[in-house]
PDB file of all heavy atoms in Angstrom:
ATOM      1  N   MET A 290      22.470  37.607 -13.727  1.00  0.00           N
ATOM      2  CA  MET A 290      22.264  38.907 -13.085  1.00  0.00           C
ATOM      3  C   MET A 290      23.565  39.735 -13.101  1.00  0.00           C
ATOM      4  O   MET A 290      24.659  39.124 -13.269  1.00  0.00           O
ATOM      5  CB  MET A 290      21.820  38.741 -11.660  1.00  0.00           C
ATOM      6  CG  MET A 290      22.790  38.027 -10.779  1.00  0.00           C
ATOM      7  SD  MET A 290      22.106  37.470  -9.173  1.00  0.00           S
ATOM      8  CE  MET A 290      21.054  36.125  -9.657  1.00  0.00           C
ATOM      9  N   SER A 291      23.494  41.011 -12.856  1.00  0.00           N
ATOM     10  CA  SER A 291      24.708  41.797 -12.705  1.00  0.00           C
ATOM     11  C   SER A 291      25.552  41.355 -11.526  1.00  0.00           C
ATOM     12  O   SER A 291      24.963  40.925 -10.482  1.00  0.00           O
ATOM     13  CB  SER A 291      24.353  43.320 -12.491  1.00  0.00           C
ATOM     14  OG  SER A 291      23.584  43.788 -13.521  1.00  0.00           O
ATOM     15  N   ALA A 292      26.854  41.478 -11.597  1.00  0.00           N
ATOM     16  CA  ALA A 292      27.731  41.009 -10.539  1.00  0.00           C
ATOM     17  C   ALA A 292      27.363  41.739  -9.217  1.00  0.00           C
ATOM     18  O   ALA A 292      27.513  41.171  -8.126  1.00  0.00           O
ATOM     19  CB  ALA A 292      29.179  41.302 -10.907  1.00  0.00           C
ATOM     20  N   SER A 293      26.870  42.988  -9.342  1.00  0.00           N
ATOM     21  CA  SER A 293      26.625  43.828  -8.153  1.00  0.00           C
ATOM     22  C   SER A 293      25.485  43.240  -7.249  1.00  0.00           C
ATOM     23  O   SER A 293      25.394  43.654  -6.108  1.00  0.00           O
ATOM     24  CB  SER A 293      26.273  45.235  -8.589  1.00  0.00           C
ATOM     25  OG  SER A 293      25.123  45.214  -9.383  1.00  0.00           O
ATOM     26  N   VAL A 294      24.651  42.381  -7.764  1.00  0.00           N
ATOM     27  CA  VAL A 294      23.538  41.909  -6.964  1.00  0.00           C
ATOM     28  C   VAL A 294      23.698  40.481  -6.585  1.00  0.00           C
ATOM     29  O   VAL A 294      22.789  39.905  -5.965  1.00  0.00           O
ATOM     30  CB  VAL A 294      22.146  42.105  -7.689  1.00  0.00           C
ATOM     31  CG1 VAL A 294      21.905  43.564  -7.932  1.00  0.00           C
ATOM     32  CG2 VAL A 294      22.077  41.318  -8.984  1.00  0.00           C
ATOM     33  N   VAL A 295      24.856  39.905  -6.858  1.00  0.00           N
ATOM     34  CA  VAL A 295      25.106  38.477  -6.597  1.00  0.00           C
ATOM     35  C   VAL A 295      25.026  38.207  -5.101  1.00  0.00           C
ATOM     36  O   VAL A 295      24.424  37.189  -4.721  1.00  0.00           O
ATOM     37  CB  VAL A 295      26.445  38.041  -7.229  1.00  0.00           C
ATOM     38  CG1 VAL A 295      26.848  36.643  -6.642  1.00  0.00           C
ATOM     39  CG2 VAL A 295      26.294  37.928  -8.712  1.00  0.00           C
ATOM     40  N   ASP A 296      25.642  39.029  -4.270  1.00  0.00           N
ATOM     41  CA  ASP A 296      25.640  38.744  -2.830  1.00  0.00           C
ATOM     42  C   ASP A 296      24.205  38.719  -2.262  1.00  0.00           C
ATOM     43  O   ASP A 296      23.867  37.810  -1.482  1.00  0.00           O
ATOM     44  CB  ASP A 296      26.486  39.824  -2.084  1.00  0.00           C
ATOM     45  CG  ASP A 296      27.962  39.639  -2.373  1.00  0.00           C
ATOM     46  OD1 ASP A 296      28.339  38.540  -2.823  1.00  0.00           O
ATOM     47  OD2 ASP A 296      28.777  40.558  -2.040  1.00  0.00           O
ATOM     48  N   LEU A 297      23.430  39.719  -2.687  1.00  0.00           N
ATOM     49  CA  LEU A 297      21.997  39.737  -2.263  1.00  0.00           C
ATOM     50  C   LEU A 297      21.284  38.504  -2.694  1.00  0.00           C
ATOM     51  O   LEU A 297      20.604  37.805  -1.938  1.00  0.00           O
ATOM     52  CB  LEU A 297      21.324  41.016  -2.869  1.00  0.00           C
ATOM     53  CG  LEU A 297      19.834  41.084  -2.616  1.00  0.00           C
ATOM     54  CD1 LEU A 297      19.528  41.136  -1.097  1.00  0.00           C
ATOM     55  CD2 LEU A 297      19.287  42.413  -3.310  1.00  0.00           C
ATOM     56  N   ALA A 298      21.521  38.086  -3.962  1.00  0.00           N
ATOM     57  CA  ALA A 298      20.821  36.897  -4.489  1.00  0.00           C
ATOM     58  C   ALA A 298      21.249  35.639  -3.733  1.00  0.00           C
ATOM     59  O   ALA A 298      20.355  34.807  -3.353  1.00  0.00           O
ATOM     60  CB  ALA A 298      21.136  36.751  -5.994  1.00  0.00           C
ATOM     61  N   LEU A 299      22.554  35.510  -3.457  1.00  0.00           N
ATOM     62  CA  LEU A 299      23.004  34.315  -2.731  1.00  0.00           C
ATOM     63  C   LEU A 299      22.420  34.241  -1.306  1.00  0.00           C
ATOM     64  O   LEU A 299      22.119  33.174  -0.786  1.00  0.00           O
ATOM     65  CB  LEU A 299      24.545  34.279  -2.693  1.00  0.00           C
ATOM     66  CG  LEU A 299      25.233  33.881  -4.007  1.00  0.00           C
ATOM     67  CD1 LEU A 299      26.737  33.995  -3.929  1.00  0.00           C
ATOM     68  CD2 LEU A 299      24.852  32.393  -4.411  1.00  0.00           C
ATOM     69  N   ASP A 300      22.299  35.416  -0.686  1.00  0.00           N
ATOM     70  CA  ASP A 300      21.667  35.469   0.660  1.00  0.00           C
ATOM     71  C   ASP A 300      20.255  34.855   0.583  1.00  0.00           C
ATOM     72  O   ASP A 300      19.863  34.020   1.413  1.00  0.00           O
ATOM     73  CB  ASP A 300      21.552  36.864   1.200  1.00  0.00           C
ATOM     74  CG  ASP A 300      22.904  37.409   1.685  1.00  0.00           C
ATOM     75  OD1 ASP A 300      23.804  36.568   1.839  1.00  0.00           O
ATOM     76  OD2 ASP A 300      23.066  38.599   1.939  1.00  0.00           O
ATOM     77  N   VAL A 301      19.469  35.300  -0.362  1.00  0.00           N
ATOM     78  CA  VAL A 301      18.106  34.787  -0.592  1.00  0.00           C
ATOM     79  C   VAL A 301      18.085  33.315  -0.919  1.00  0.00           C
ATOM     80  O   VAL A 301      17.360  32.509  -0.375  1.00  0.00           O
ATOM     81  CB  VAL A 301      17.365  35.606  -1.623  1.00  0.00           C
ATOM     82  CG1 VAL A 301      15.931  35.051  -1.847  1.00  0.00           C
ATOM     83  CG2 VAL A 301      17.260  37.076  -1.287  1.00  0.00           C
ATOM     84  N   LEU A 302      18.946  32.950  -1.856  1.00  0.00           N
ATOM     85  CA  LEU A 302      19.003  31.509  -2.294  1.00  0.00           C
ATOM     86  C   LEU A 302      19.367  30.599  -1.143  1.00  0.00           C
ATOM     87  O   LEU A 302      18.697  29.615  -0.885  1.00  0.00           O
ATOM     88  CB  LEU A 302      20.021  31.403  -3.422  1.00  0.00           C
ATOM     89  CG  LEU A 302      19.562  31.916  -4.782  1.00  0.00           C
ATOM     90  CD1 LEU A 302      20.757  32.210  -5.718  1.00  0.00           C
ATOM     91  CD2 LEU A 302      18.620  30.923  -5.506  1.00  0.00           C
ATOM     92  N   HIS A 303      20.390  30.929  -0.364  1.00  0.00           N
ATOM     93  CA  HIS A 303      20.894  30.098   0.650  1.00  0.00           C
ATOM     94  C   HIS A 303      19.875  29.945   1.819  1.00  0.00           C
ATOM     95  O   HIS A 303      19.931  28.964   2.535  1.00  0.00           O
ATOM     96  CB  HIS A 303      22.242  30.558   1.182  1.00  0.00           C
ATOM     97  CG  HIS A 303      23.357  30.416   0.193  1.00  0.00           C
ATOM     98  ND1 HIS A 303      24.551  31.142   0.210  1.00  0.00           N
ATOM     99  CD2 HIS A 303      23.458  29.584  -0.862  1.00  0.00           C
ATOM    100  CE1 HIS A 303      25.297  30.770  -0.806  1.00  0.00           C
ATOM    101  NE2 HIS A 303      24.686  29.841  -1.480  1.00  0.00           N
ATOM    102  N   ALA A 304      18.968  30.922   1.903  1.00  0.00           N
ATOM    103  CA  ALA A 304      17.965  30.845   2.978  1.00  0.00           C
ATOM    104  C   ALA A 304      16.799  30.002   2.623  1.00  0.00           C
ATOM    105  O   ALA A 304      15.913  29.730   3.427  1.00  0.00           O
ATOM    106  CB  ALA A 304      17.520  32.278   3.342  1.00  0.00           C
ATOM    107  N   HIS A 305      16.760  29.523   1.362  1.00  0.00           N
ATOM    108  CA  HIS A 305      15.571  28.756   0.886  1.00  0.00           C
ATOM    109  C   HIS A 305      16.019  27.291   0.717  1.00  0.00           C
ATOM    110  O   HIS A 305      17.105  27.029   0.220  1.00  0.00           O
ATOM    111  CB  HIS A 305      15.126  29.331  -0.433  1.00  0.00           C
ATOM    112  CG  HIS A 305      13.755  28.833  -0.924  1.00  0.00           C
ATOM    113  ND1 HIS A 305      13.583  27.633  -1.440  1.00  0.00           N
ATOM    114  CD2 HIS A 305      12.577  29.409  -0.892  1.00  0.00           C
ATOM    115  CE1 HIS A 305      12.302  27.466  -1.773  1.00  0.00           C
ATOM    116  NE2 HIS A 305      11.678  28.585  -1.426  1.00  0.00           N
ATOM    117  N   PRO A 306      15.162  26.339   1.071  1.00  0.00           N
ATOM    118  CA  PRO A 306      15.550  24.899   0.963  1.00  0.00           C
ATOM    119  C   PRO A 306      16.009  24.518  -0.468  1.00  0.00           C
ATOM    120  O   PRO A 306      16.851  23.644  -0.621  1.00  0.00           O
ATOM    121  CB  PRO A 306      14.228  24.175   1.340  1.00  0.00           C
ATOM    122  CG  PRO A 306      13.391  25.099   2.011  1.00  0.00           C
ATOM    123  CD  PRO A 306      13.816  26.508   1.637  1.00  0.00           C
ATOM    124  N   LEU A 307      15.438  25.153  -1.488  1.00  0.00           N
ATOM    125  CA  LEU A 307      15.780  24.782  -2.893  1.00  0.00           C
ATOM    126  C   LEU A 307      17.007  25.544  -3.369  1.00  0.00           C
ATOM    127  O   LEU A 307      17.433  25.288  -4.536  1.00  0.00           O
ATOM    128  CB  LEU A 307      14.612  25.017  -3.816  1.00  0.00           C
ATOM    129  CG  LEU A 307      13.344  24.136  -3.609  1.00  0.00           C
ATOM    130  CD1 LEU A 307      12.222  24.562  -4.493  1.00  0.00           C
ATOM    131  CD2 LEU A 307      13.720  22.684  -3.869  1.00  0.00           C
ATOM    132  N   GLY A 308      17.578  26.415  -2.551  1.00  0.00           N
ATOM    133  CA  GLY A 308      18.701  27.189  -3.044  1.00  0.00           C
ATOM    134  C   GLY A 308      19.928  27.100  -2.126  1.00  0.00           C
ATOM    135  O   GLY A 308      20.919  27.787  -2.270  1.00  0.00           O
ATOM    136  N   ARG A 309      19.827  26.148  -1.166  1.00  0.00           N
ATOM    137  CA  ARG A 309      20.867  25.964  -0.122  1.00  0.00           C
ATOM    138  C   ARG A 309      22.253  25.854  -0.733  1.00  0.00           C
ATOM    139  O   ARG A 309      23.210  26.384  -0.158  1.00  0.00           O
ATOM    140  CB  ARG A 309      20.524  24.723   0.699  1.00  0.00           C
ATOM    141  CG  ARG A 309      20.487  24.950   2.169  1.00  0.00           C
ATOM    142  CD  ARG A 309      19.975  23.698   2.878  1.00  0.00           C
ATOM    143  NE  ARG A 309      20.149  22.506   2.075  1.00  0.00           N
ATOM    144  CZ  ARG A 309      19.282  21.478   2.053  1.00  0.00           C
ATOM    145  NH1 ARG A 309      18.219  21.518   2.768  1.00  0.00           N
ATOM    146  NH2 ARG A 309      19.515  20.414   1.275  1.00  0.00           N
TER     147      ARG A 309
END
Side-chain angles (χ1 to χ4, degrees):
Chain A
M290 63 192 72
S291 300
S293 61
V294 299
V295 165
D296 287 345
L297 174 59
L299 283 175
D300 284 348
V301 176
L302 285 158
H303 291 157
H305 193 283
L307 293 174
R309 232 174 20 216

